[in-house]
Amino acid sequence: MTRPSRQKWLLVLVGILLVSNIITLAVFWNKSRKDNPPPKPRMGKFIVDQMKFDSTQEASYWVMRDSMLNLQRPIWDSIRAAKKRFFDLVNQTTPDDSLLQIRANEVMAHQKRLDLITLQHFQNVRTLCRSDQVQKFDTVVQEIVNRMNPQRRPNKGAGENKDSAQKK
């Protein structure tokens, strides 16, 4: 009986390691997909579901929403560019205060335009509502605004870390 060469054993070993790595990655990938919660419903779907719009109201709402998004997209791009220019000032050792203010005001101006478009959109959607839906709409809008501007809550663990650091 001939003895297999060392090269063949190494090749078999590499094959076994490769297959085991692929299986391990597949298991982790499937597990991470199962652990992730399903995506939250989009805001437009949230409004339609909460308001219980009829088919005519829903069709009008989606047209309004698409129109609003088309107005907002270039402003989002402008905000992103303005913030990039603003934070590029980090590279300067001592940026001029007037330049800081100019760049900050530029970001705020774009944000103001975005907020005005959003407000006008909500006003337009409110006109779609029947009289029995208006009060519910006002509540839903407040919930949406709260989601858009999340409050930063103090980190519960941060206080514990401070206490433990002080005890040491």
Side-chain angles (χ1 to χ4, degrees):
M1 192 163 165
T2 62
R3 188 171 165 208
S5 69
R6 198 174 193 179
Q7 191 175 20
K8 286 182 183 178
W9 278 109
L10 288 175
L11 188 59
V12 168
L13 184 62
V14 167
I16 291 170
L17 289 173
L18 180 65
V19 169
S20 67
N21 282 339
I22 290 172
I23 291 170
T24 303
L25 288 174
V27 167
F28 281 122
W29 183 68
N30 282 335
K31 184 176 191 254
S32 68
R33 285 181 52 199
K34 291 176 186 173
D35 292 343
N36 290 341
K40 292 182 180 176
R42 301 191 54 95
M43 223 30 86
K45 182 85 170 116
F46 176 75
I47 290 176
V48 169
D49 291 344
Q50 290 295 311
M51 296 308 304
K52 296 179 176 51
F53 282 154
D54 62 30
S55 58
T56 306
Q57 287 174 311
E58 185 175 351
S60 297
Y61 169 75
W62 288 113
V63 169
M64 286 180 174
R65 181 179 171 276
D66 291 343
S67 172
M68 182 226 11
L69 289 176
N70 288 335
L71 291 172
Q72 285 183 335
R73 278 190 189 100
I75 298 172
W76 288 331
D77 293 340
S78 298
I79 290 173
R80 201 171 5 266
K83 283 188 176 188
K84 182 187 179 324
R85 286 189 297 275
F86 178 74
F87 285 106
D88 281 347
L89 296 176
V90 167
N91 299 335
Q92 296 182 6
T93 53
T94 55
D96 181 27
D97 284 344
S98 63
L99 183 57
L100 284 171
Q101 289 302 315
I102 289 169
R103 298 275 169 88
N105 289 337
E106 188 179 324
V107 172
M108 289 187 329
H110 293 303
Q111 186 64 49
K112 179 181 176 182
R113 286 179 38 219
L114 185 67
D115 291 344
L116 288 170
I117 288 171
T118 303
L119 176 72
Q120 184 178 15
H121 169 70
F122 285 142
Q123 289 172 331
N124 291 339
V125 172
R126 193 173 194 266
T127 63
L128 282 178
C129 297
R130 296 184 308 264
S131 58
D132 61 314
Q133 293 174 318
V134 171
Q135 186 176 4
K136 174 71 174 172
F137 179 78
D138 294 342
T139 305
V140 168
V141 166
Q142 287 305 312
E143 187 175 338
I144 290 170
V145 169
N146 290 338
R147 286 184 183 187
M148 287 173 21
N149 301 315
Q151 296 289 328
R152 293 191 182 257
R153 288 181 240 150
N155 188 356
K156 291 180 183 178
E160 293 169 4
N161 290 340
K162 287 180 186 176
D163 292 343
S164 62
Q166 288 173 352
K167 289 178 185 175
K168 290 180 182 177

